[in-house]
Amino acid sequence: MTPQAKLIFAISLLLGTTIVISSNHWVTIWAGLEINTLAILPLIAKSHHPRAIEAATKYFLTQATASALLLFSATTNAWYTGQWDITQLTHPAACLILTSALAMKLGLAPFHFWFPEVLQGSSLTTALILSTAMKFPPMTLLLITSPSLNPTLLTSMAILSAALGGWMGLNQTQIRKILAFSSISHLGWMAIIVSYNPKLTLLNFYLYALMTTTVFLTLNVIKTSKLSTLMTTWTKTPALSAMLMLTLLSLAGLPPFTGFLPKWFIIQELTNQNMAPAATAIALLSLLGLFFYLRLAYCATITLPPHTTNHMKQWHTNSPTGITIAILTTTSIMLLPISPMILTTI
């Protein structure tokens, strides 16, 4: 793919995102989402591998279906209320359809099946865009329309996402699939609180995007996409592997890392909203995901010599430059000093 084509697709992604987050009319929002979808498809399929073509096809069909549901929801609401404004969503059927459309776009359970397969068929850079930037427009819509959505439905989908995200990621060996199920689990935490405190959802999303970006960029630098090759990186880049381990522990939500901060606030807010059973359920279900986070962190810090032909090829690749290591290490360190215990006592 030529640099000019990449520039056009990047500008299209920015344009689509800007249109979505700055519009009040449902048709304009639908157009922005379609621009985003059409811009990311060539980036998914650029390797011309059958798995990449399959991932692009699955992504297109899923996103097209979700966009059609969103437009159908807006049309239903306009039919009964005469309003096309995004904040005037009042019809119950339209609210239910919109919740399903946004869940499908985000990869929230039970509409999550496409996300791990699409991430597995994409490159690490494209997977990073799919996990962070492409979730920002539907997340913005979720935040804006949260007063109109059904809290019970969102809570059920959130608990299901936390359960499936942790359970289905347990026996995975492909890092991109593990991070996909990690994303599904984090989306559960965002969805369960969005009706009660959207600011906490936004905080959780920002911290998740920062930590996921650090992990994907580190994996892209050390050219690792499987657990078996991750175990051979400690000898090449020990500092970067140590920072990757700390970032993964933060992504897991272990105290006193930054990833624990939004989870603590969400549990506290759910308790204040008399939803202690839901808070207990999602907290216990997040322990399932803790296992594969710890396994990733362990694989990033053990020393294992290469033992196959593919690993020998991986072992003799050029090491990343000192500037790259310094940038990623600094980004990882930024995730560490924010102690939730200190912040909540101020």
Side-chain angles (χ1 to χ4, degrees):
M1 183 178 294
T2 62
Q4 292 83 358
K6 290 183 179 180
L7 179 62
I8 292 174
F9 297 141
I11 293 175
S12 299
L13 285 174
L14 291 176
L15 176 64
T17 303
T18 305
I19 290 174
V20 171
I21 65 178
S22 61
S23 299
N24 287 325
H25 199 283
W26 278 113
V27 176
T28 314
I29 290 172
W30 170 79
L33 292 173
E34 289 299 313
I35 291 173
N36 261 0
T37 300
L38 294 176
I40 196 65
L41 286 175
L43 297 178
I44 299 176
K46 66 179 180 179
S47 64
H48 302 292
H49 190 274
R51 182 176 286 274
I53 304 300
E54 178 187 355
T57 304
K58 288 181 178 178
Y59 184 80
F60 171 73
L61 293 175
T62 305
Q63 296 300 311
T65 304
S67 296
L69 285 176
L70 185 141
L71 195 58
F72 181 63
S73 169
T75 305
T76 303
N77 186 72
W79 180 272
Y80 285 98
T81 64
Q83 295 289 335
W84 283 95
D85 194 281
I86 186 174
T87 59
Q88 302 298 322
L89 190 71
T90 56
H91 193 267
C95 295
L96 182 63
I97 297 172
L98 178 68
T99 305
S100 302
L102 293 180
M104 191 177 297
K105 278 196 167 291
L106 287 168
L108 196 65
F111 306 102
H112 67 285
F113 296 101
W114 63 273
F115 191 58
E117 298 298 327
V118 171
L119 242 64
Q120 181 60 30
S122 308
S123 63
L124 286 172
T125 305
T126 306
L128 168 61
I129 297 174
L130 289 170
S131 299
T132 55
M134 294 302 294
K135 291 186 181 299
F136 189 64
M139 184 60 66
T140 303
L141 294 178
L142 188 66
L143 291 170
I144 295 175
T145 59
S146 58
S148 304
L149 303 180
N150 188 346
T152 305
L153 178 60
L154 284 175
T155 301
S156 302
M157 296 171 69
I159 293 176
L160 184 61
S161 297
L164 290 177
W167 180 39
M168 298 181 71
L170 288 177
N171 61 346
Q172 299 292 332
T173 59
Q174 298 290 333
I175 298 179
R176 280 168 293 186
K177 277 195 174 183
I178 292 176
L179 292 176
F181 290 118
S182 165
S183 175
I184 294 169
S185 179
H186 278 85
L187 282 171
W189 284 90
M190 299 177 205
I192 199 172
I193 199 63
V194 68
S195 297
Y196 307 101
N197 195 334
K199 291 182 180 179
L200 283 182
T201 299
L202 198 60
L203 172 66
N204 199 344
F205 178 74
Y206 282 155
L207 291 179
Y208 162 76
L210 178 61
M211 292 182 288
T212 303
T213 300
T214 304
V215 172
F216 270 112
L217 290 179
T218 304
L219 294 173
N220 193 34
V221 166
I222 61 181
K223 307 299 180 187
T224 300
S225 60
K226 295 185 294 185
L227 289 180
S228 55
T229 54
L230 183 63
M231 291 187 292
T232 65
T233 60
W234 176 261
T235 305
K236 295 188 295 181
T237 54
L240 198 57
S241 298
M243 290 301 105
L244 176 62
M245 178 199 70
L246 295 177
T247 307
L248 289 169
L249 293 179
S250 182
L251 196 61
L254 283 179
F257 296 105
T258 308
F260 179 61
L261 175 68
K263 293 186 176 181
W264 189 359
F265 284 163
I266 288 172
I267 292 174
Q268 187 177 18
E269 181 66 24
L270 289 175
T271 306
N272 294 336
Q273 296 289 339
N274 296 321
M275 295 182 61
T280 304
I282 197 169
L284 291 177
L285 289 172
S286 66
L287 295 178
L288 288 172
L290 182 61
F291 174 77
F292 61 74
Y293 284 119
L294 291 176
R295 184 173 60 169
L296 273 174
Y298 174 73
C299 291
T301 53
I302 66 172
T303 303
L304 184 67
H307 53 276
T308 66
T309 305
N310 291 333
H311 291 173
M312 289 298 293
K313 184 177 180 180
Q314 169 74 18
W315 187 261
H316 290 294
T317 54
N318 295 328
S319 298
T321 61
I323 297 178
T324 305
I325 295 177
I327 293 174
L328 291 176
T329 304
T330 304
T331 308
S332 299
I333 291 176
M334 287 172 60
L335 302 173
L336 305 181
I338 307 177
S339 173
M341 281 74 76
I342 296 175
L343 288 181
T344 51
T345 55
I346 295 177

